[in-house]
Amino acid sequence: MFFVKSDVLIKNVNKIKKYINKRKTICFLDLEGTQFSHECIAIGALLAKVDKDGFIKETKKPFKIYVQPKNNIGRYVEGLTGITPEIISKLGVSFSSAVSELKKYLGIHFKSSLYVTYGNHDMVIINSSIQHNIDSPIEDLRYIQKNHCDFHNVFQQYVRDDKNNSLSLIHACEMFDCLSEGKHHDPTNDAINLANLYNAFLKRKDIVFERYKLILANCSSLPNPIQAVIKKLLNDENVTPSDFEKEIKKELK
């Protein structure tokens, strides 16, 4: 029988809380960027208040703004996001103005929030946008980067697909049954989906527990004797210290 003390596992799963570090607000953030220069073309955000355990209590109305890049968007990105040069021409503002509007949206919480993204590409977009805009509010942007948490990096340690591959935000939300009805790859909807996934990850300990067992079973980096023992445990076989020693001897033959 496969036995893992669930309280120990959940303490590891909830290490996301170390990033929160007694903060009362989280800004779930998503940036869309150009295909080649990786300049920001849209920002989506959702400000959420969290309780002492990190669970979302309430959220503010989502934020969205389009940004004018210095270079072309790229056809692939246009098709993926639905953001076209026409939309940018009509609704886009400078990168500096967009960051200023994000600060207004966050208000007093700008310098007290944790900035959570799904993956690190949003930080790449910030860096690229700084390089292409000499009037970038660098101090504010560096503050966001300094207080940033890549939720995907934590999530994938415990939850992956059946082949041990990391999950996209959409597929992760589908697994936890928390996908919003909005258009995918829209920055606002992606920020909402990220908030939904974050909360589901903390609440659905049963899903996390089962997916983590599969990761352990499929982890090719583990030595063969340990892998063999884990697979037996997953098949509800009793494993003794002598069984473990047998597996070691097999490996050393």
Side-chain angles (χ1 to χ4, degrees), residues 2-252:
F2 185 59
F3 179 76
V4 175
K5 288 188 69 175
S6 61
D7 59 335
V8 173
L9 174 61
I10 298 309
K11 281 180 183 177
N12 289 331
V13 169
N14 286 350
K15 69 181 180 180
I16 186 70
K17 293 179 185 177
K18 81 174 184 179
Y19 290 101
I20 296 175
N21 193 23
K22 298 182 180 179
R23 300 174 201 256
K24 296 180 180 179
T25 54
I26 295 175
C27 174
F28 294 96
L29 190 64
D30 182 78
L31 277 64
E32 301 295 339
T34 58
Q35 187 172 341
F36 301 109
S37 62
H38 305 296
E39 296 170 70
C40 183
I41 57 173
I43 301 174
L46 181 69
L47 180 65
K49 291 184 179 179
V50 296
D51 64 21
K52 61 182 179 62
D53 295 314
F55 293 99
I56 295 174
K57 295 191 298 183
E58 61 179 287
T59 59
K60 189 175 180 178
K61 184 179 178 180
F63 170 87
K64 180 178 178 179
I65 194 164
Y66 292 104
V67 183
Q68 296 173 345
K70 296 291 190 294
N71 294 282
N72 294 333
I73 297 172
R75 289 187 179 180
Y76 176 78
V77 170
E78 283 186 40
L80 190 69
T81 65
I83 301 174
T84 64
E86 290 74 26
I87 291 174
I88 294 298
S89 177
K90 183 178 180 181
L91 302 175
V93 300
S94 69
F95 180 62
S96 177
S97 296
V99 176
S100 178
E101 290 301 314
L102 176 63
K103 280 189 70 176
K104 288 180 185 177
Y105 168 76
L106 296 172
I108 60 172
H109 303 296
F110 175 75
K111 286 211 169 180
S112 61
S113 295
L114 178 68
Y115 292 85
V116 176
T117 65
Y118 195 75
N120 196 51
H121 189 61
D122 304 87
M123 299 301 108
V124 171
I125 291 175
I126 287 178
N127 284 333
S128 295
S129 298
I130 289 173
Q131 292 174 9
H132 286 88
N133 295 272
I134 59 174
D135 61 340
S136 297
I138 295 177
E139 185 178 337
D140 292 334
L141 294 165
R142 295 304 184 216
Y143 183 85
I144 290 174
Q145 291 180 316
K146 185 178 178 181
N147 293 275
H148 166 246
C149 169
D150 177 359
F151 181 71
H152 175 260
N153 189 44
V154 177
F155 181 81
Q156 70 169 347
Q157 294 179 47
Y158 302 99
V159 182
R160 296 189 176 213
D161 68 13
D162 293 339
K163 295 182 179 179
N164 220 30
N165 298 313
S166 60
L167 292 159
S168 68
L169 177 59
I170 294 170
H171 290 144
C173 287
E174 288 174 342
M175 181 177 288
F176 281 79
D177 194 26
C178 63
L179 188 65
S180 72
E181 295 181 358
K183 183 181 181 299
H184 306 325
H185 300 295
D186 173 274
T188 301
N189 289 330
D190 283 354
I192 293 170
N193 280 326
L194 178 54
N196 291 345
L197 181 63
Y198 163 89
N199 227 31
F201 178 73
L202 293 182
K203 286 184 175 181
R204 295 300 308 272
K205 297 173 182 177
D206 56 328
I207 296 177
V208 177
F209 188 81
E210 292 303 319
R211 301 311 300 188
Y212 187 50
K213 286 200 297 184
L214 287 177
I215 287 177
L216 292 175
N218 295 327
C219 185
S220 60
S221 63
L222 291 176
N224 290 333
I226 296 176
Q227 268 193 311
V229 168
I230 288 176
K231 287 178 179 177
K232 286 181 179 179
L233 291 170
L234 283 171
N235 290 326
D236 286 332
E237 297 178 37
N238 290 320
V239 179
T240 66
S242 62
D243 292 326
F244 184 42
E245 288 185 4
K246 287 178 184 177
E247 295 295 338
I248 294 174
K249 288 175 181 177
K250 276 186 195 178
E251 183 68 16
L252 296 176

